[in-house]
């Protein structure tokens, strides 16, 4: 039976709770245990697919086609496992199943109540995910911050499970300790208040992970011990780092893994973090840079630039760059500007490679197409991900095949040359406004053409990659596109769907209908990103 480690956040959001969960998991895995991780989002949304990425960050797609929180991406990258939809839940999803069960008379005539039936459903889901993964440890991240009204039922689930199996449940609070510039001292009071709030929900944390600009000193550790009812050794320092992949090493150096094992009465079976340590060491010595421009649109929020919407893309670029012994330097490109000021396109000469990531809707698309044309004509390495592949097809159709009004039906449903068109299955769903969870989602097999660059990169004929789209390459244009030199390098095994396009002879020009970024791992860079970066630095 699995041990359960709940992670709750105190003081404020955005301090890296997901990465902390993933790092704790990595440490435990390195000690010879099987680990899985679950994310609980307090939203009513049934999945993350209906949330705007600028508000909620990237929608991470699992192999089995769930649209989940970006933290599942962190879990996959740190733990090097594929996580399934059982490991993601939202308030909406939990209520949905309670209501369905009630409609099916599964509560045997009982009055179905928020407590205990909702937390019970949460616990059942947690146990099921743990069982399915055959995990020794199940780490459960509770979204939001303690004290918020929204996550109270999830805290209630921790309390109930702790009552049921006290020796197998642990709670860790990830808190933030500010150092106000005018005060110049690290303050523990917000953490004390957050812990008290957790206590009032009947939960007493076993550890406090102290996120801060700098490491925690002895005085602060003692204060937390005195006021938060933990032992001094269990106030764990978690200072800011340059590279998130250092965090498991820092935790291990603080003895967190062994302390967790000790509390559960277990001992470490092995210690296998050497490859990870070697990677971090190698990165710290890298000097040469590779300049990559990303032409997305979900990154500006008011005065701030957020990169959360493209986190898997960014991580995949990092993994591939480190593999190629360079440090990535990323720039966000606002392609809308190219539409009004085409001269600005020349800035692309300053990059070693350009990526157009996934996207929806028409804003900025013409600028993206202009950028892709510039890359194609000037031999600048280009990688198009989903929407980026579709834009590359439109560009080629217009400017090489002479189909001037070529477009995607998503942008112009009435265009004469819809080189990208709605998928058959999706047409019906769109008409019925069946939007949530209804795209072509999750992993599908794809076969690669023998003489394609993609085949070279992957080193195998059949691959499996994750998708999230409604539109696809229109097969009516296969002939003209290939006659004019575009290679349709990857297909679904029944050959009905084009999954990869390439331009042979170009330094690097590949577009994939799928999202390769979801499968990249720090020590196993994704083949397409690896080859893209290799071309970029050549
Ligand atoms: N909007 C496009 C589609 O739905 C591309 C989606 C994406 O980039 N994820 O097909």
């Amino acid at each position: 039976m699995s041990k359960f480690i709940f992670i709750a956040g105190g003081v404020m959001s955005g301090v890296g709770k997901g990465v902390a969960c993933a790092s704790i998991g990595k440490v435990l895995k390195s000690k010879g245990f099987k680990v899985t991780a679950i994310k609980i989002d307090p939203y009513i949304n049934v999945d993350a697919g209906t949330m705007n990425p600028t508000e909620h960050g990237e929608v991470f797609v699992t192999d089995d086609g769930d649209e989940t929180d970006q933290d599942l991406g962190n879990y996959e990258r740190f733990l090097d496992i594929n996580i399934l939809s059982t490991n993601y839940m939202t308030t909406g999803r939990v209520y949905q199943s309670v209501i369905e069960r009630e409609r099916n008379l599964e509560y045997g005539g009982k009055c179905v109540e928020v407590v205990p039936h909702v937390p019970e459903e949460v616990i059942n889901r947690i146990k099921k995910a743990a069982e399915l993964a055959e995990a020794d440890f199940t780490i459960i991240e509770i979204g939001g911050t303690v004290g918020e009204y929204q996550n109270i039922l999830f805290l209630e689930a921790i309390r109930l499970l702790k009552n049921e199996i006290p020796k197998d449940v642990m709670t860790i609070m990830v808190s933030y300790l500010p150092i106000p510039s005018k005060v110049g001292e690290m303050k523990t009071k917000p953490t004390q208040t957050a812990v008290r709030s957790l206590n009032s929900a009947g939960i007493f944390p076993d550890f406090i992970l102290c996120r801060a600009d700098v490491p925690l000193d002895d005085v602060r550790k003692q204060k937390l011990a005195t006021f938060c009812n933990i032992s001094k050794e269990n106030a764990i320092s978690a200072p800011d780092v340059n590279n998130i992949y250092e965090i498991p090493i820092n935790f291990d150096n603080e003895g967190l893994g062994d302390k967790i094992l000790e509390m559960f009465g277990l001992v470490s079976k092995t210690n296998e973090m050497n490859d990870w340590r070697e990677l971090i060491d190698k990165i710290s010595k890298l000097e040469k840079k590779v300049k990559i421009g990303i032409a997305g649109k979900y990154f500006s929020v008011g005065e701030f630039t957020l990169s959360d919407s493209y986190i898997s893309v960014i991580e995949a670029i990092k993994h591939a760059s480190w593999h190629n012994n360079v440090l990535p330097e990323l720039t966000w490109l606002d392609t809308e500007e190219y539409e009004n000021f085409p001269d600005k396109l020349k800035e692309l000469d300053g990059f070693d490679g350009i990526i157009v990531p996934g996207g929806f809707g028409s804003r900025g698309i013409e600028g993206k197409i202009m950028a892709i044309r510039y890359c194609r004509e000037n031999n600048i390495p280009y990688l198009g991900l989903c929407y980026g592949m579709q834009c590359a097809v439109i560009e080629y159709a217009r400017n090489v095949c002479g189909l001037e009004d070529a477009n995607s039906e998503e942008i112009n449903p009435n265009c004469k040359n819809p080189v990208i068109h709605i998928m058959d299955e999706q047409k019906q769903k769109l008409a019925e406004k069946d939007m949530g969870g209804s795209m072509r989602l999750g992993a599908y097999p794809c076969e690669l053409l023998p003489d394609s660059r993609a085949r070279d990169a992957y080193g195998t004929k059949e691959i499996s990659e994750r998708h999230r789209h409604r539109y696809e390459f229109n097969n009516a244009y296969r002939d003209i596109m290939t006659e004019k030199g575009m290679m349709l390098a990857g297909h679904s095994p029944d050959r009905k769907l084009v999954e990869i396009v390439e331009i042979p002879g170009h330094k690097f020009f590949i577009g994939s209908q799928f999202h390769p970024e979801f499968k990249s791992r720090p020590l196993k860079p994704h083949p397409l990103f690896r080859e893209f970066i290799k071309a970029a630095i050549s």
Side-chain angles (χ1 to χ4, degrees), residues 421-470:
H421 70 165
I422 184 102
M423 306 185 73
D424 274 345
E425 263 176 63
Q426 300 297 326
K427 204 182 275 177
Q428 182 79 13
K429 289 178 177 164
L430 218 53
E432 290 166 2
K433 287 210 176 269
D434 171 14
M435 305 297 265
S438 71
M439 286 187 237
R440 180 173 178 240
L441 290 168
Y444 286 91
C446 165
E447 281 178 12
L448 305 174
L449 233 56
D451 49 354
S452 64
R453 192 152 190 172
R455 170 76 195 262
D456 256 9
Y458 280 94
T460 172
K461 184 178 164 213
E462 186 165 322
I463 57 166
S464 167
E465 292 281 6
R466 299 183 196 168
H467 297 68
R468 180 173 186 251
H469 60 116
R470 286 196 179 86

Side-chain angles (χ1 to χ4, degrees), residues 92 178 249 306 340:
I249 294 172
L306 300 178
N340 300 322

